[in-house]
Amino acid sequence: MLTALTLGNYFLKEELIEYQTASEALLDPGLYRSGRCQQVQELLNPYCESPLETLIWFRIKGWGIELPAQQVWIDCGGGQKHRADFLWWGPKVILEADGRVKYSGIYGKADEVIRQERARQRNLERQGWTVLRVEWYEVQNQPRNLLARLNAAGVR
């Protein structure tokens, strides 16, 4: 199911299919489908921009915690705006998905990407945000650790 969800979210992100079309196809009673089609339909999320973000979304929905806003721009003053992967307004918590591709050279030299990332995090923290970072291994293999970190930061 997670593979189908990841592919569906990718198609949505790349605008290869519209959300409504995908949703209707997954729920079409005339097609052979299992209960998994409905689960995928319920989890489709056009705001997930990577397989890691899809896995995080899958976990968040499964835990039944407050749903975050996604891909939200935050004004940090002085013309600095930063976009959060997952954001909870009430407790002022941001969850950032740190995939390896970010440091692969596609987005520039890894050391520069890391420097910009740290500056961005400092700006957000000065505005009162708690920034949590997570990698694939933790979300896949230690999801309860991530849930505990989110709960400790005030996400319920």
Side-chain angles (χ1 to χ4, degrees), residues 56 60 63 65-69 84 86-96 129 132 150 154-156:
I56 292 168
I60 288 170
W63 292 327
I65 61 176
E66 176 186 350
L67 297 180
F86 298 90
L87 175 145
W88 288 267
W89 291 104
K92 291 191 80 169
V93 173
I94 294 171
L95 179 63
E96 288 295 310
W129 291 94
L132 304 176
L150 287 167
V155 176
R156 303 286 175 242

Side-chain angles (χ1 to χ4, degrees), residues 77-121:
Q80 295 184 32
K81 292 185 178 186
H82 304 295
R83 192 173 68 151
D85 293 335
F86 298 90
L87 175 145
W88 288 267
W89 291 104
K92 291 191 80 169
V93 173
I94 294 171
L95 179 63
E96 288 295 310
D98 287 338
R100 288 186 181 173
V101 71
K102 186 188 300 185
Y103 311 110
S104 69
I106 292 173
Y107 298 105
K109 292 182 180 181
D111 61 335
E112 182 62 20
V113 170
I114 291 169
R115 188 192 66 71
Q116 290 172 351
E117 190 174 79
R118 287 181 180 157
R120 174 180 176 267
Q121 183 162 335

Side-chain angles (χ1 to χ4, degrees), residues 5-61:
L5 178 61
T6 301
L7 289 170
N9 284 348
Y10 173 79
F11 288 167
L12 291 172
K13 174 191 171 286
E14 294 298 318
E15 298 180 352
L16 298 172
I17 191 168
E18 292 180 358
Y19 178 85
Q20 188 65 30
T21 303
S23 183
E24 288 172 3
L26 286 164
L27 297 178
D28 184 342
L31 298 176
Y32 169 80
R33 61 183 196 91
S34 68
R36 295 215 186 267
C37 287
Q38 184 175 352
Q39 289 176 315
V40 170
Q41 185 275 333
E42 291 170 358
L43 291 166
L44 276 179
N45 184 332
Y47 297 104
C48 291
E49 295 188 337
S50 70
L52 177 54
E53 288 183 17
T54 294
L55 179 58
I56 292 168
W57 179 249
F58 176 78
R59 297 288 190 214
I60 288 170
K61 291 285 284 188

Side-chain angles (χ1 to χ4, degrees), residues 1-3 5-6 51-60 63 95 97-98 100 133-147 149:
M1 181 187 66
L2 193 52
T3 300
L5 178 61
T6 301
L52 177 54
E53 288 183 17
T54 294
L55 179 58
I56 292 168
W57 179 249
F58 176 78
R59 297 288 190 214
I60 288 170
W63 292 327
L95 179 63
D98 287 338
R100 288 186 181 173
R133 298 192 166 281
V134 67
E135 295 178 359
W136 183 272
Y137 182 85
E138 181 179 7
V139 182
Q140 177 65 31
N141 300 307
Q142 301 170 331
R144 290 286 171 204
N145 288 353
L146 174 57
L147 178 58
R149 290 173 54 204

